[in-house]
Amino acid sequence: IRKRALFLHVSLPGQVNGAEDLPRDFIFPSMEAIALNLITVMDHLRIKQVVGLGDGAGANIILRFAMNHPSRVHGVLVINIEGVGSGGYKEIIMDKLSGR
């Protein structure tokens, strides 16, 4: 497995241990924008598919990524997810995967 797999951690602006505060005029990207741009990171690193892990905001981001790029995801494991709409992510993901 070590020859075929790697662990990739994507750090968001200002979220790294010891990071300086972001400038007051910094416009933090939306969860959707971050999720959509993960594909750029994967393509740059030539990563075909992932098993996504996310906690809190990271869970929100990886679920959005999985919904937008289901062919690039083997699966996701999320904990402490917040901000789920009334339909819930499970239903949204199932609809996306089934082509509804």
Side-chain angles (χ1 to χ4, degrees), residues 37-77:
N37 284 301
L38 284 177
I39 197 74
T40 304
V41 174
M42 287 178 57
D43 288 346
H44 179 76
L45 297 174
R46 298 183 182 156
I47 299 170
K48 293 179 184 178
Q49 291 185 306
V50 296
V51 173
L53 308 172
D55 178 16
N60 186 311
I61 292 166
I62 199 63
L63 282 175
R64 289 171 185 266
F65 175 80
M67 290 187 301
N68 285 296
H69 303 285
S71 66
R72 302 290 294 268
V73 177
H74 282 295
V76 295
L77 174 64

Side-chain angles (χ1 to χ4, degrees), residues 70-92:
S71 66
R72 302 290 294 268
V73 177
H74 282 295
V76 295
L77 174 64
V78 296
I79 57 174
N80 298 322
I81 183 98
E82 295 185 21
V84 177
S86 60
Y89 275 113
K90 181 179 178 184
E91 290 79 12
I92 294 168

Side-chain angles (χ1 to χ4, degrees), residues 1-7:
I1 271 185
R2 292 177 73 183
K3 291 181 181 180
R4 299 183 333 202
L6 75 121
F7 181 83

